[in-house]
């Protein structure tokens, strides 16, 4: 049998009949329409608040809270000195170049250069912040450091 438009049909068990509630006692879902007897959930318009536990103190209020969120926190994009070896000698490494070469996705609150690894290239590095060891390694390799405001 070939598969044509006129003999297409859904897979067995894919289509279920709609549950018709409140259509008489013979249907099995008459009278209370599958909602049980009295109580909050049997009423129309019932909707429970998120986290509600029937009046018991909800979990999100029982669990102790710790710490705080610093709303002034800076979200730095961090690069190590060893990550700068991919650039050519004499190149100026800036946040724009790093995004263009897809080294970083986006510069959030600024670019921070850390001093992990060694640098074998003479580069001019422009960033928002340098650690002391990063600054030392870039200058030792013959490069220069420029702090962006």
């Amino acid at each position: 049998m070939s598969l044509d438009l006129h003999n297409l049909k859904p897979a067995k068990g894919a289509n279920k009949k709609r549950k018709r509630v409140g259509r008489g006692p013979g249907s099995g879902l008459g009278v209370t329409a599958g909602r049980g007897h009295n109580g909050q959930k049997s009423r129309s318009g019932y909707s429970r608040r998120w986290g509600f536990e029937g009046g018991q103190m909800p979990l999100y209020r029982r669990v102790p809270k710790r710490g705080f969120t610093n709303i002034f926190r800076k979200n730095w994009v961090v690069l190590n000195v060893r990550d700068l070896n991919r650039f050519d000698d004499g190149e100026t490494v800036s946040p724009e170049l790093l995004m263009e070469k897809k080294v970083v996705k986006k510069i959030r609150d600024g670019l921070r250069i850390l001093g992990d690894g060694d640098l074998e290239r003479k580069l001019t590095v422009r960033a928002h912040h340098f650690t002391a060891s990063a600054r030392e390694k870039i200058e030792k390799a013959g490069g220069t450091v420029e702090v962006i405001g």
Side-chain angles (χ1 to χ4, degrees):
M1 185 170 119
S2 67
L3 188 66
D4 295 311
L5 281 178
H6 71 275
N7 58 16
L8 280 179
K9 59 182 185 187
K12 188 150 178 68
N15 289 3
K16 288 171 76 175
K17 286 192 86 171
R18 188 169 63 91
K19 188 189 281 191
R20 294 185 74 228
V21 297
R23 292 293 182 272
S27 69
L29 286 168
V31 189
T32 57
R35 287 173 173 254
H37 287 280
N38 296 346
Q40 207 171 5
K41 286 167 83 174
S42 73
R43 316 285 189 212
S44 72
Y46 166 76
S47 69
R48 190 173 57 211
R49 185 178 70 243
W50 177 87
F52 184 67
E53 295 185 23
Q56 172 174 298
M57 187 62 67
L59 183 70
Y60 72 91
R61 290 188 61 195
R62 293 198 303 267
V63 174
K65 309 294 182 280
R66 279 192 50 105
F68 77 106
T69 302
N70 182 1
I71 60 169
F72 301 109
R73 178 176 182 258
K74 291 271 188 258
N75 201 346
W76 297 103
V77 173
V78 176
L79 270 184
N80 278 297
V81 169
R82 67 165 169 252
D83 302 325
L84 303 175
N85 284 318
R86 68 175 73 204
F87 297 103
D88 299 325
D89 261 341
E91 204 166 355
T92 300
V93 179
S94 65
E96 294 77 27
L97 181 73
L98 291 169
M99 282 171 62
E100 188 184 304
K101 298 257 182 159
K102 293 188 167 63
V103 178
V104 294
K105 273 190 180 158
K106 60 176 152 183
I107 304 296
R108 295 186 195 100
D109 289 330
L111 176 64
R112 192 179 184 110
I113 307 291
L114 307 183
D116 203 15
D118 290 310
L119 184 65
E120 291 105 36
R121 307 264 193 276
K122 183 181 175 182
L123 301 170
T124 301
V125 186
R126 299 181 73 237
H128 298 89
H129 186 270
F130 295 88
T131 59
S133 60
R135 187 182 293 265
E136 182 186 315
K137 286 179 183 179
I138 292 167
E139 288 168 352
K140 186 176 153 196
T144 55
V145 167
E146 289 180 28
V147 177
I148 305 168

